[in-house]
Amino acid sequence: MVIADTPLSDMLRLLADPTRLRILALLEREELSVGELTKAVGMAQSRVSNHLRILREAEILAERHVGASTYLRLDGRCLEHTPLQRLWLALRGELAGLAEHSADLVRLESVLAERRTRNGDFFDRVAGQWEKIAGQFESGQARLRAVSHLLPAGLVLADLGCGTGYMGEALLGLCDRLICVDRSEKMLEEAQRRLCRAPRQTEVEFRKGELNSLPIADGAADGALAGMVLHHLQEPGTAVAEMFRILRPGGAAAVLELDPHREAWMRAGLGDRHLGLEASDVLAAFRRSGFGDVALDPLADRFQPTRPDGSVASLSLYIVRGRRPRALSIEPTHRS
Ligand SMILES: C[S@@+](CC[C@H](N)C(=O)[O-])C[C@H]1O[C@@H](n2cnc3c(N)ncnc32)[C@H](O)[C@@H]1O
């Protein structure tokens, strides 16, 4: 029967039976197999089947077949904007006061708990394959965008000695503005190529300049990063002082560096001026510059460049971080 054309008397007859109402209420809440529904209403299957036959004839149930089981639910779309829907909504409200309905809901919970035990938790079963099943997004920006809302608005970050933009790439989407600085025009071009598809909320700027006199105004950045670059500099301490200068009070700085090593080929091979830097020297430079919360973060990761003879070096790394102290706030004195 097409619900919209069904005579009112038939609709009233359909809803006239309290057991049918209880069944409908359960199937509106949950999709259930016939066996599960029988358990939830606590009746013989023959009685439940009888009611289901009438509801099926009214074409208000959606059915799904899985193996030998048929799963049923109340198909809300069939009822939409029909007098039957209005009748059902009025009667459903009355069901709340019915002791049988409350007992149905208690039984329904144990039916669903049994189902969970039988099948195991859905996500427990698929966890190992989840990345393959549902890990695909067109650009991945949706997740990054959600993450960015946890960070302060208007964030300006600086990637100093950005090279090809490897570290800058990790910051895209997380800040409003990313300022990439490097002395090499060609490296900046490579970085531009890598970062050209920045998500809309991150404006990326490329500035040619020296780390010991950064082309960034005082207090203009919320965060400054110098990754694998201080060992290229004659005076690493001057660059740390420059990092301090460009940060606003409360802004954070991080330096990723190599521990001292003996890979002398890296001078000519990778343009290194120092064969790593003592962490204690970098920590001291941070403190001298005025940074607070200065700390060493040792890393398990290692830098593994290939030597000219084809063998691979394995060099230890560390991070030194600090924060530009906030300006002292002077509490107003209360006069009585
Ligand atoms: C080893 S790359 C590091 C790139 C990037 N930060 C990373 O972690 O992959 C070093 C970069 O620092 C730049 N650089 C070296 N000395 C510099 C200086 N005095 N001022 C600005 N940039 C410098 C180089 O041009 C090069 O692109």
Side-chain angles (χ1 to χ4, degrees):
M1 93 180 147
V2 178
I3 290 297
D5 306 336
T6 305
L8 189 61
S9 55
D10 286 2
M11 291 186 199
L12 288 170
R13 210 166 302 124
L14 186 69
L15 300 177
D17 186 288
T19 304
R20 255 195 314 278
L21 294 182
R22 286 166 54 199
I23 289 175
L24 280 177
L26 290 174
L27 294 181
E28 188 179 44
R29 270 174 187 259
E30 283 293 336
E31 184 190 56
L32 296 170
S33 71
V34 178
E36 288 173 332
L37 179 65
T38 305
K39 278 189 195 164
V41 286
M43 286 178 185
Q45 181 148 357
S46 54
R47 279 189 66 194
V48 172
S49 296
N50 217 17
H51 290 296
L52 283 179
R53 182 181 48 74
I54 295 167
L55 294 170
R56 275 173 164 138
E57 279 169 11
E59 296 179 0
I60 57 170
L61 297 185
E63 302 199 10
R64 191 168 64 91
H65 301 278
V66 180
S69 306
T70 300
Y71 286 85
L72 302 165
R73 66 181 166 78
L74 176 60
D75 187 350
R77 281 169 315 170
C78 296
L79 300 185
E80 259 170 24
H81 313 301
T82 62
L84 186 64
Q85 184 184 43
R86 289 190 286 280
L87 285 171
W88 163 240
L89 291 178
L91 291 168
R92 191 180 62 181
E94 294 305 311
L95 271 178
L98 217 64
E100 288 95 329
H101 177 59
S102 306
D104 288 348
L105 294 182
V106 174
R107 281 188 295 262
L108 176 66
E109 270 317 303
S110 58
V111 163
L112 295 176
E114 242 177 69
R115 185 199 281 181
R116 280 194 292 273
T117 312
R118 204 170 49 245
N119 297 344
D121 179 84
F122 174 78
F123 288 105
D124 277 351
R125 276 184 285 123
V126 301
Q129 303 98 55
W130 186 250
E131 286 297 303
K132 261 196 230 133
I133 299 171
Q136 303 90 342
F137 283 71
E138 189 181 274
S139 74
Q141 287 308 316
R143 282 171 159 162
L144 203 56
R145 182 75 156 258
V147 170
S148 75
H149 289 300
L150 306 183
L151 301 170
L155 210 58
V156 178
L157 301 179
D159 181 6
L160 309 172
C162 64
T164 55
Y166 185 86
M167 296 185 94
E169 193 169 28
L171 303 173
L172 289 184
L174 299 180
C175 55
D176 281 30
R177 194 141 65 91
L178 174 63
I179 306 172
C180 298
V181 178
D182 205 287
R183 76 183 328 180
S184 157
E185 192 96 45
K186 295 287 177 205
M187 281 297 213
L188 283 172
E189 280 171 23
E190 291 296 323
Q192 213 153 351
R193 245 191 294 285
R194 177 183 228 134
L195 306 179
C196 63
R197 278 180 293 127
R200 243 180 301 149
Q201 73 270 31
T202 300
E203 177 198 331
V204 188
E205 265 184 62
F206 299 90
R207 300 188 189 174
K208 188 168 172 345
E210 291 288 329
L211 260 73
N212 61 8
S213 86
L214 287 169
I216 300 177
D218 294 359
D222 299 286
L225 193 62
M228 305 291 277
V229 64
L230 291 194
H231 59 260
H232 290 284
L233 310 181
Q234 173 93 32
E235 298 275 358
T238 312
V240 174
E242 275 292 274
M243 291 172 87
F244 184 87
R245 179 187 64 76
I246 66 163
L247 287 173
R248 62 154 176 81
V255 158
L256 171 64
E257 256 314 318
L258 288 171
D259 275 312
H261 58 83
R262 295 189 177 163
E263 304 288 332
W265 64 272
M266 283 171 61
R267 292 189 197 276
L270 300 182
D272 291 4
R273 191 182 288 263
H274 306 280
L275 297 183
L277 294 173
E278 290 286 355
S280 58
D281 289 344
V282 180
L283 286 162
F286 264 64
R287 293 195 179 103
R288 260 198 322 276
S289 299
F291 280 105
D293 298 336
V294 177
L296 177 67
D297 178 9
L299 296 170
D301 198 7
R302 298 182 77 81
F303 181 49
Q304 298 188 308
T306 302
R307 298 187 181 102
D309 67 3
S311 62
V312 175
S314 178
L315 307 178
S316 60
L317 298 151
Y318 61 87
I319 292 169
V320 169
R321 64 173 166 81
R323 201 169 272 285
R324 181 170 176 157
R326 288 177 198 283
L328 284 178
S329 70
I330 300 173
E331 295 286 316
T333 48
H334 298 281
R335 295 198 188 146
S336 50

